[in-house]
């Protein structure tokens, strides 16, 4: 879902980081297990919304936004077994990330699907943060890139669970390396 302008800017960032043949940044795909993550996140989030907003929904569902009402109604249809299965997979996702962080200091990914939207109507899609939020790992977004029309494109660095300090050090190192 990443826009081409962000892909191009990200490619330049990787090339810059790897300048001089140092191979600082490797490109890899997350394991196939992560193909289910977005659906699991939606299942958990909407079932939780349905439970947590049950009273508000009963008292005045017409006063809720269409988006929230639709999410609550989808959440009401989530079977307990599906909810429990989705919750149970979080540990599997974390285990896979632990293996990645055994080999790498951080994961670098676009922070959003494209440049920051102009104006204040929207902050853009949160899809690039969903993995990290669901797995409870730290993530930093740094506006390192820019679209041709000058809008910022965020770069997200993600670290191992409970290792925020390492993530901050890695981010500082990357910024210093790019500024050399």
């Amino acid at each position: 879902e990443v826009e081409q302008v962000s892909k191009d800017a990200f490619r330049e960032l990787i090339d810059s980081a790897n300048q001089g043949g140092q191979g600082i940044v490797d490109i890899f795909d997350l394991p196939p297990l992560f193909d289910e993550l977005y659906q699991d996140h939606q299942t958990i989030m909407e079932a939780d919304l349905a439970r947590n907003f049950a009273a508000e929904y009963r008292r005045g569902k017409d006063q809720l936004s269409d988006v929230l009402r639709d999410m609550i109604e989808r959440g009401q249809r989530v079977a307990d077994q599906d909810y429990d299965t989705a919750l149970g997979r979080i540990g599997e996702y974390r285990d896979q990330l632990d293996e990645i962080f055994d080999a790498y200091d951080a994961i670098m990914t676009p922070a959003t699907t494209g440049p920051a939207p102009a104006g204040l109507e929207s902050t853009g899609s949160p899809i690039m943060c969903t993995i990290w939020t669901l797995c409870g790992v730290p993530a930093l977004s740094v506006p390192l890139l820019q679209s041709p029309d000058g809008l910022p494109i965020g770069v997200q660095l993600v670290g191992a669970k409970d290792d925020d300090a390492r993530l901050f050090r890695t981010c500082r190192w990357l910024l210093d390396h790019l500024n050399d």
Side-chain angles (χ1 to χ4, degrees), residues 17-86:
N18 286 339
Q19 199 169 43
Q22 296 175 29
I24 292 167
V25 177
D26 290 334
I27 299 173
F28 67 91
D29 291 324
L30 289 173
L33 169 69
F34 286 89
D35 294 347
E36 302 298 318
L37 184 134
Y38 295 101
Q39 182 59 47
D40 286 341
H41 179 266
Q42 182 176 2
T43 297
I44 295 165
M45 181 180 66
E46 290 180 349
D48 286 345
L49 279 172
R51 287 182 185 114
N52 291 319
F53 284 91
E56 289 82 358
Y57 182 84
R58 278 192 307 275
R59 279 195 308 267
K61 69 179 182 179
D62 326 351
Q63 296 174 2
L64 300 174
S65 71
D66 292 342
V67 171
L68 180 58
R69 188 174 47 249
D70 290 347
M71 291 172 76
I72 290 171
E73 290 171 356
R74 283 192 305 269
Q76 291 169 337
R77 294 188 296 271
V78 171
D80 289 345
Q81 181 178 357
D82 293 338
Y83 180 80
D84 291 343
T85 298

Side-chain angles (χ1 to χ4, degrees), residues 97-107 137 158-161 166:
L97 286 176
D98 286 346
E99 289 182 29
I100 292 168
F101 290 121
D102 284 344
Y104 296 96
D105 293 323
I107 295 172
V137 295
V158 181
K161 184 167 177 55
R166 178 180 174 193

Side-chain angles (χ1 to χ4, degrees), residues 105-106 138 140 142 157-160 162-178:
D105 293 323
L140 293 171
V142 185
L157 291 172
V158 181
D162 298 324
D163 205 354
D164 300 42
R166 178 180 174 193
L167 179 60
F168 278 106
R169 287 190 305 273
T170 301
C171 184
R172 172 82 277 156
W173 176 88
L174 177 64
L175 294 173
D176 290 345
H177 177 75
L178 292 172

